Amino acid sequence: MARKYPLERTRNIGIMAHVDAGKTTCTERILFYTGKSHKMGEVHDGQATMDWMVQEQERGITITSAATSCIWRDHEINVIDTPGHVDFTVEVERSLRVLDGAIGLFCAVGGVEPQSETVWRQAEKYTVPRIAFINKMDRSGADFFGVTEQIEKELGANAVPMVIPIGEESEFRGIVDLVRNIEIYYDDAAEGCTIREEPLSEAMKDVTAKWRRNLIEKVAEVDEKLLEKFCAEEELSPDEIIAAVRLATYRHLICPVLCGSAFKNKGVRRLLDAVVDYLPSPVDLPPISGNCLEGNPIERVADDEGRLAALAFKVATDKHVGKLIYVRVYSGTLQSGSYVFNSSQKKQQRVGRLMKMHANRQELVECLYSGEIGAVVGMSDTVTGDTICSEDEPIVLEAIEFPAPVISISVKPDSRKDQEKLGKALVKLAEEDPTFIVSTDPETDDIIISGMGELHLDIIMDRIKREFDVCVTPGAPEVAYRETITVRSGINERYKKQTGGRGQYAHVVLDVEPLEPGMGFEFINKVVGGNIPKEYITPIEKGVLDAMQKGAWAGFPVVDVRVSLLDGSYHEVDSSERAFRICAKMAFDKALKQGSPQLLEPIMNVNIVTPEEAAGGITGNLCGKRGRILGMEAQGNAQVIKGLCPLANLFGYASELRNVSQGRASFTMHFEHYEAVPFAIAEDVIERYRKRREAAK
């Protein structure tokens, strides 16, 4: 079956913005005006088509990116509606990796908000051409020109208005189309379906002339013929302007700016026109590049007849069809029932059914052509970031990089029968979301789940309960404390036990001394003259290690000590490996208590990237957590703060950092070393853990 719309009339776009800028509302209008849906769903009443998850409908936010496709002006537009909350930034990241263009949505009141910067940087990372849509022009405090200036100053974009508003706030009635030099009014009475086009009025002539001249100046810079016409003061036709804007947009020279009110159905159709007119098709962009299996660079051109190259950018679980692999086909054709090659894992895979997605609804298709986005059932071994290609000429596309999780909690099922179900649920959820990590604490046996923030993990917990019918109890993971000694101690320990039969006898003399932090454990045998037979030396070392697993002072593992076996004695009949192992453990326990024991805690190396104006508050907050600032350095227009801080005080820090910086700062951390806990805090920690252990008995 031949494709319905040629490649040059295909658009793959995403809608990205800060939370609550109106992305989903805008998408709903796009679906309505293109005839994909017959009723406008609203976010506030839980009826939005693209917010299909129960959690999205309840909270009124987008959690997962949803894909759909629609037709406008005989062009096929594949749309991905992305989340705006920073906890779900992975959904934006992987969507932008496979898109050809994006709509950056901005609130006319809020302007460039914190997450706006993040998604804009993500788009720049993948060199995705963008147009800007300033939404909510009907709101009190709306400022079109102010937000346009913010886009230029804060995002570094060459923002060029393609329209200007007629009125603002409650007086917002329509727009002036600067390309065609006409006024467009919207009829509120019929869901914005009625549009009135009128000649330019006297009241709007001066401001229109200013911004139209600005538009022509900007586009003339990218086309010599237009520049000549402009200098000769000749009139440029709308088609000439559109062609120049299109070229400048996908060359990243300008960012066209439009405006409207999606909720009031104003400006959305002009936005659709801009998607068709200004954003690129797959053939407008450079060929996709990758490497062959030997590592040499190769390219694939967007062509239905070319070699297959597709990228799996998302994994989802559907209760009806099972595992869904979302793919973007860059070249060639992906056919249902065919065998393909997963070059990332070097495995052959069979394509089951192919689908075009409309949020959570599927439309079966026979094949996915070059430039299309769809979902595959059947490729069970494929994960996010894998390349799907033809086996006779494989290519490995650049994988998707995901940020590391920043917060962790422990979870345990409410009943033992749910243990296996919980394990399966966590495996499936981790497969869907690369920023959701599951691990087990080797010391406490707690199941630890890690994610991008409290909301992220809250949604995960809710999904575990609703989708997998497992009730779990969350809790903070225990800090992996350690203990050590600070002064040298010597112990002469004798173990004697007489029973009715053969007795138990062992005698050891140990010297225990502290080592430098991070040195670990050393055992030295200094026994001479055969006072202790060689076969008992290893059990003595094992006895010391047994004692180090759970320190006799605070109950935490012991680190950074050197144990020297100086002397001892044995009995020909009563001595045994078991007796010497017990004796060594008793001796070490006494040495630990006599060696001025000290509690140690993990210290994390913290790296924070923040706007300069928030740096003071962040350093103060970190110092309040017993942190130490190691230094600060400039990175572009941001500041990088480097410091050390106890892990015990960093749980929940992601949310605190967002509060201090208005969501504009980010941080990473990794383990640095163990360090002594202040005595007053150590007493509280030991008492708290002692009570917890007693309660667990």
Side-chain angles (χ1 to χ4, degrees), residues 310-321:
L311 183 72
F313 67 95
K314 180 176 177 176
V315 175
T317 303
D318 185 278
K319 61 182 178 181
H320 301 298
V321 299

Side-chain angles (χ1 to χ4, degrees), residues 234-248:
E234 294 180 28
E235 187 66 26
L236 300 182
S237 71
D239 288 344
E240 287 177 316
I241 296 173
I242 289 170
V245 171
R246 177 180 177 78
L247 184 65

Side-chain angles (χ1 to χ4, degrees), residues 314-318 321-326 355 357 362 375-377:
K314 180 176 177 176
V315 175
T317 303
D318 185 278
V321 299
K323 184 177 176 180
L324 283 173
I325 310 293
Y326 284 74
M355 302 168 178
M357 301 300 297
Q362 302 109 15
V376 186
V377 178

Side-chain angles (χ1 to χ4, degrees), residues 312-384:
F313 67 95
K314 180 176 177 176
V315 175
T317 303
D318 185 278
K319 61 182 178 181
H320 301 298
V321 299
K323 184 177 176 180
L324 283 173
I325 310 293
Y326 284 74
V327 297
R328 158 71 192 267
V329 182
Y330 285 99
S331 71
T333 303
L334 186 63
Q335 295 190 337
S336 177
S338 64
Y339 284 90
V340 294
F341 186 61
N342 184 327
S343 57
S344 303
Q345 301 190 33
K346 298 180 176 62
K347 287 183 180 179
Q348 192 182 63
Q349 299 261 272
R350 185 180 183 277
V351 177
R353 287 173 288 170
L354 293 175
M355 302 168 178
K356 286 285 194 75
M357 301 300 297
H358 180 50
N360 64 329
R361 300 199 298 275
Q362 302 109 15
E363 173 195 344
L364 285 174
V365 294
E366 286 299 314
C367 52
L368 291 173
Y369 295 100
S370 179
E372 292 190 329
I373 292 173
V376 186
V377 178
M379 298 192 300
S380 56
D381 293 330
T382 299
V383 298
T384 301

Side-chain angles (χ1 to χ4, degrees), residues 49-294:
T49 304
M50 305 300 274
D51 284 352
W52 57 270
M53 290 178 66
V54 176
Q55 292 85 355
E56 293 177 318
Q57 294 167 357
E58 288 179 349
R59 289 169 167 82
I61 61 171
T62 302
I63 293 169
T64 183
S65 55
T68 188
S69 61
C70 55
I71 309 301
W72 184 255
R73 282 173 41 191
D74 212 27
H75 284 67
E76 183 179 32
I77 303 174
N78 298 308
V79 184
I80 296 182
D81 176 29
T82 65
H85 199 285
V86 67
D87 281 18
F88 310 108
T89 188
V90 61
E91 295 289 335
V92 185
E93 186 84 20
R94 58 184 170 192
S95 298
L96 289 172
R97 171 65 178 82
V98 298
L99 293 172
D100 300 327
I103 299 170
L105 220 66
F106 300 89
C107 174
V109 181
V112 177
E113 297 172 279
Q115 187 66 0
S116 308
E117 296 180 37
T118 303
V119 297
W120 200 266
R121 285 197 296 267
Q122 287 173 308
E124 285 181 342
K125 174 181 174 183
Y126 295 113
T127 62
V128 177
R130 282 141 280 165
I131 58 178
F133 183 73
I134 299 175
N135 192 26
K136 303 187 179 183
M137 285 299 301
D138 58 316
R139 291 281 186 91
S140 178
D143 183 359
F144 172 79
F145 298 109
V147 176
T148 302
E149 189 177 341
Q150 282 186 38
I151 294 171
E152 284 207 329
K153 287 185 176 179
E154 298 185 27
L155 303 180
N158 186 9
V160 181
M162 307 303 297
V163 301
I164 57 173
I166 301 174
E168 289 180 344
E169 303 181 342
S170 60
E171 297 299 314
F172 177 63
R173 306 186 305 281
I175 57 175
V176 175
D177 184 341
L178 297 176
V179 176
R180 293 189 293 157
N181 225 16
I182 60 169
E183 295 180 4
I184 300 173
Y185 292 91
Y186 300 93
D187 187 354
D188 291 332
E191 293 187 320
C193 292
T194 303
I195 294 178
R196 288 185 290 111
E197 294 186 356
E198 296 184 3
L200 206 59
S201 64
E202 287 295 326
M204 296 298 296
K205 277 187 176 178
D206 288 344
V207 66
T208 300
K210 172 189 172 184
W211 288 103
R212 179 173 166 80
R213 184 177 181 83
N214 173 72
L215 166 62
I216 294 172
E217 282 179 357
K218 293 291 180 71
V219 297
E221 293 173 3
V222 302
D223 190 311
E224 287 186 7
K225 290 182 180 178
L226 291 188
L227 183 59
E228 289 175 7
K229 273 193 165 187
F230 175 71
C231 293
E233 297 187 353
E234 294 180 28
E235 187 66 26
L236 300 182
S237 71
D239 288 344
E240 287 177 316
I241 296 173
I242 289 170
V245 171
R246 177 180 177 78
L247 184 65
T249 300
Y250 63 73
R251 286 185 178 176
H252 305 276
L253 299 174
I254 69 168
C255 173
V257 181
L258 299 100
C259 70
S261 170
F263 184 63
K264 294 291 181 67
N265 316 305
K266 298 176 180 180
V268 177
R269 279 163 290 185
R270 187 66 193 87
L271 177 63
L272 279 165
D273 287 337
V275 168
V276 169
D277 290 338
Y278 308 137
L279 290 180
S281 71
V283 296
D284 294 320
L285 298 173
I288 188 72
S289 58
N291 294 317
C292 61
L293 296 182
E294 292 76 28

